[in-house]
Amino acid sequence: MNKIFAFSIASILLCGSLASCTVETYSGTSSRSAQQFNIEVTPYTEAQQQATEAPKAQEAATTAAAPENKAPEQKAPEITAPQTTQAPAPQESSVPAEYVTAAKSIMVNLNDLDMIDGGAVSTGGDVIDDGMYRYSNVTDPRFGSLSDVQTYVESKVCGDLLYKYSEIYSGDVPMFKEFDSGLCYLQGGRGCGYNFKGEPSISNITGGSFTFSVPVDYFGDTQTFVIDAVNDGGLWKACSLTRQ
């Protein structure tokens, strides 16, 4: 009986002390609030609130006073003027000048012969009928006889090209032919001449011969002529011509 009484007294004293306790408010979403347990919630006193907010204010002031961490300032990259490379001086051609001169002279001669073969000869006077062909007297000062024509052609070409252009003064229907009235020329105009479109490119030099190539406008189509030249008795002549 005494134990039961003592336990009752202790319980009364414990409840009295709990009635004066202060419990912080839980701001969560749990339903287990202070009211469920009939616990009196005492609000903060002004002094307690100031004591709680003071450290926060001090921390905010310290943060505001602290220097901002700024990224180091970057300098704009320096612009350097591009270095100019001086173009190398043009190298002198390894081809002796005499071969270039000879090639150009051959080009002129070939064009001249092809023009003669095609009708570029001045004529006049009487017209002579020779079967199916008609000839006129030659008035071109370069040619006074058939021998002059032959010498002229042979001074410019040799080899295969001499065979080609020998039709100018020989064969069944030569371009030049002698009659009682003198040297005559076959009438009729034909396409002729070489329209060279560039400089000759020299190769295969062997002292007394060389090869050169040159572009040509051949009836509107650009082709390359490859010409073999030889020194014949001190004269540079074309001896063969191929088209590429």
Side-chain angles (χ1 to χ4, degrees):
M1 184 69 178
N2 290 335
K3 292 182 178 179
I4 296 174
F5 179 78
F7 179 77
S8 300
I9 295 299
S11 298
I12 294 171
L13 293 174
L14 177 61
C15 290
S17 63
L18 288 174
S20 63
C21 292
T22 301
V23 179
E24 293 185 4
T25 303
Y26 177 65
S27 59
T29 58
S30 173
S31 62
R32 295 174 60 84
S33 63
Q35 286 78 6
Q36 288 182 287
F37 297 95
N38 296 321
I39 299 175
E40 181 182 356
V41 178
T42 304
Y44 279 162
T45 64
E46 183 178 357
Q48 289 174 329
Q49 184 175 2
Q50 290 178 355
T52 302
E53 293 180 353
K56 295 182 180 180
Q58 183 177 2
E59 181 181 357
T62 304
T63 304
E68 297 181 359
N69 293 328
K70 295 184 179 180
E73 183 179 356
Q74 297 182 356
K75 296 183 179 180
E78 297 182 359
I79 300 176
T80 305
Q83 297 181 353
T84 57
T85 303
Q86 186 176 1
Q91 298 181 355
E92 295 183 1
S93 173
S94 59
V95 177
E98 64 178 292
Y99 294 100
V100 177
T101 301
K104 291 183 177 181
S105 176
I106 289 173
M107 290 161 61
V108 172
N109 292 340
L110 286 175
N111 182 68
D112 184 30
L113 286 183
D114 208 64
M115 293 287 287
I116 293 173
D117 194 22
V121 176
S122 57
T123 59
D126 299 333
V127 176
I128 301 173
D129 290 326
D130 184 29
M132 297 176 56
Y133 307 100
R134 306 185 72 186
Y135 287 82
S136 298
N137 291 107
V138 174
T139 59
D140 194 310
R142 293 175 296 177
F143 312 114
S145 66
L146 195 60
S147 178
D148 292 341
V149 176
Q150 182 175 352
T151 300
Y152 188 87
V153 173
E154 292 178 352
S155 68
K156 301 183 183 305
V157 291
C158 61
D160 293 341
L161 288 178
L162 179 58
Y163 176 79
K164 168 182 171 57
Y165 286 111
S166 64
E167 66 181 14
I168 293 177
Y169 56 85
S170 64
D172 295 336
V173 187
M175 302 303 298
F176 288 90
K177 192 172 184 178
E178 288 183 334
F179 293 91
D180 293 340
S181 60
L183 184 65
C184 296
Y185 185 80
L186 183 66
Q187 288 187 333
R190 295 158 292 277
C192 57
Y194 296 128
N195 187 12
F196 295 107
K197 305 297 291 184
E199 295 293 312
S201 178
I202 313 297
S203 62
N204 300 332
I205 298 175
T206 60
S209 66
F210 68 92
T211 301
F212 69 94
S213 59
V214 60
V216 179
D217 183 357
Y218 189 74
F219 297 105
D221 180 28
T222 301
Q223 296 186 353
T224 299
F225 281 9
V226 179
I227 301 168
D228 293 323
V230 297
N231 190 315
D232 182 15
L235 297 176
W236 283 106
K237 303 177 184 179
C239 63
S240 67
L241 184 154
T242 56
R243 295 187 180 95
Q244 291 184 344

